[in-house]
Amino acid sequence: MGYSYSEIKRYRRNELIIREGEVADVIFLVIEGKVRLIKRDEQNREVEIGYLSEGQVFGEMGFILEEARTYTAKAFTDVKLKLINPRVFSELYDTEHAELIKPIIQSMAERIRHYNMLLLENADKASIINKTSDDNSPELTIVPKTDYAIEALNGKSKIEISEYPLYCGRFSRRRSDDMFHSNNLMLYDNPPFTVSRSHFSVLLFKGELVFYDRGSTLGTYVNNIQIGGSRRAERKTVLHKGSNEVQIGSVNSLLVFDFVVS
C-alpha cells in the first residue's frame, strides 16, 4: 500500500488549528470556510493579521524556512482543510525529470528565504502582504470601459470584490501555469499579450486598498500613473474612494477599467 501524503480534516468555528511557536510539520490547503490568522505583538497581545479562504495555503513557510510557526491559525467559520505532508515533495525526485525539477524548486525556495528576510526588516510591508478583508473593509467594483475589457472579463459587465488580497493575471490553458501563478481573477487576452500571467494585486492595508504590480511586463496605468512595467515606474499606488481609471498595459491599451472603491 502506498504512503498517503494528505488527509482531510474539519475544524469547528474558533477551534485552534496551529499555534505560534509550534514545530512546522504539515502544510494546509483551505477547501471550505475561512481561517483567521493571529500573531502576538511585543506586548504579548493577540493581533489579527488576516484571513484565508478556499484555495489558499498556509503553513508552507515553516516547511521551506525550517522554522517554527510564526502565527496562530484558528477556524473563523467551520472549515474543511487538506493536511499535506511535506514528504509529498520527495516524490518529485523519483520521476525521470527530477534533474530538471530540483534546481527550479531549490531556486524558488532560496528566493522565498531572501524575500522573507526583507519582509522581516520592514513590518509595514509584512502587514500589507498578510492583511486581508474584514467586515469593515472597503468594497471594490471593477467595471470594464471598452468592448475588449468586457471580453477580458468573459462578458461580465462588472465584478464586485469584498475579500482581499485580489490577485489578477492572464487566463492560461497551460497546466504548468497553475503551479507558478496563483490568481483569483483571470483576464482573457489574445496575442500579443497585454496581461501578464501574474499582473497585479489589490491588497488591504490600514483601511485602504493598495494597487501593486506583481512584476508584469507592460505594467498598468492607474489614474494616469504608471505602476510597474519599468524600473523607473512606481510599484504601488493607493486607490482613492470613488472612481479610479485602470488601464492594463501601455497608454494605447484597450484594457481599460473603472475600479470603484466604496
Side-chain angles (χ1 to χ4, degrees):
M1 181 179 296
Y3 182 83
S4 177
Y5 291 104
S6 67
E7 64 174 307
I8 301 297
K9 190 170 182 180
R10 297 180 182 271
Y11 293 83
R12 304 290 294 178
R13 176 182 173 88
N14 294 325
E15 188 175 353
L16 178 70
I17 302 171
I18 59 174
R19 189 186 304 277
E20 184 175 353
E22 288 180 338
V23 176
D25 59 356
V26 70
I27 300 170
F28 300 85
L29 170 65
V30 183
I31 299 176
E32 295 176 1
K34 184 178 287 189
V35 174
R36 180 173 177 243
L37 304 182
I38 304 164
K39 188 174 180 63
R40 291 195 174 275
D41 63 12
E42 294 178 353
Q43 287 75 43
N44 202 34
R45 297 172 300 189
E46 287 192 348
V47 178
E48 184 178 277
I49 61 173
Y51 298 87
L52 297 174
S53 55
E54 180 181 341
Q56 293 186 293
V57 173
F58 64 101
E60 79 286 2
M61 293 298 289
F63 165 67
I64 293 173
L65 300 176
E66 297 182 316
E67 295 178 347
R69 303 295 189 191
T70 57
Y71 51 77
T72 293
K74 292 183 178 179
F76 184 70
T77 65
D78 290 351
V79 297
K80 179 180 178 182
L81 303 177
K82 177 173 285 189
L83 281 60
I84 305 169
N85 190 310
R87 285 179 58 185
V88 68
F89 294 105
S90 65
E91 294 250 319
L92 295 174
Y93 299 111
D94 295 330
T95 69
E96 60 180 313
H97 301 300
E99 72 280 1
L100 302 177
I101 297 173
K102 184 176 180 179
I104 295 174
I105 294 178
Q106 288 177 333
S107 176
M108 292 173 63
E110 194 58 41
R111 288 177 185 269
I112 290 173
R113 293 186 186 96
H114 173 72
Y115 287 120
N116 186 67
M117 286 189 298
L118 294 179
L119 290 175
L120 291 175
E121 293 173 359
N122 192 321
D124 286 342
K125 287 184 180 179
S127 297
I128 291 175
I129 294 297
N130 291 317
K131 193 66 178 177
T132 55
S133 62
D134 55 38
D135 293 338
N136 299 316
S137 63
E139 294 185 353
L140 173 65
T141 303
I142 300 177
V143 181
K145 305 298 290 182
T146 65
D147 290 341
Y148 192 54
I150 294 175
E151 291 180 17
L153 284 180
N154 199 23
K156 295 182 175 67
S157 60
K158 67 177 180 179
I159 291 180
E160 295 182 347
I161 308 296
S162 59
E163 293 194 357
Y164 310 97
L166 170 68
Y167 296 116
C168 181
R170 185 177 79 243
F171 172 80
S172 174
R173 290 183 174 86
R174 193 165 65 182
R175 289 196 308 166
S176 61
D177 286 345
D178 286 339
M179 181 178 295
F180 297 105
H181 305 276
S182 177
N183 299 298
N184 46 23
L185 174 60
M186 290 182 285
L187 300 178
Y188 292 86
D189 194 13
N190 297 314
F193 295 119
T194 298
V195 185
S196 295
R197 294 185 183 92
S198 293
H199 200 101
F200 70 84
S201 61
V202 177
L203 309 178
L204 177 64
F205 180 60
K206 294 184 177 179
E208 293 185 312
L209 295 182
V210 184
F211 185 101
Y212 272 84
D213 180 73
R214 296 170 68 194
S216 67
T217 301
L218 299 179
T220 307
Y221 282 83
V222 181
N223 296 323
N224 296 317
I225 299 173
Q226 184 180 6
I227 306 299
S230 168
R231 291 186 178 181
R232 297 186 298 273
E234 297 289 337
R235 303 296 297 179
K236 67 181 185 298
T237 187
V238 175
L239 298 176
H240 57 68
K241 288 188 176 181
S243 177
N244 299 264
E245 184 180 85
V246 174
Q247 186 174 23
I248 299 176
S250 69
V251 292
N252 299 317
S253 171
L254 296 177
L255 284 174
V256 184
F257 300 86
D258 193 8
F259 278 37
V260 183
V261 179
S262 60

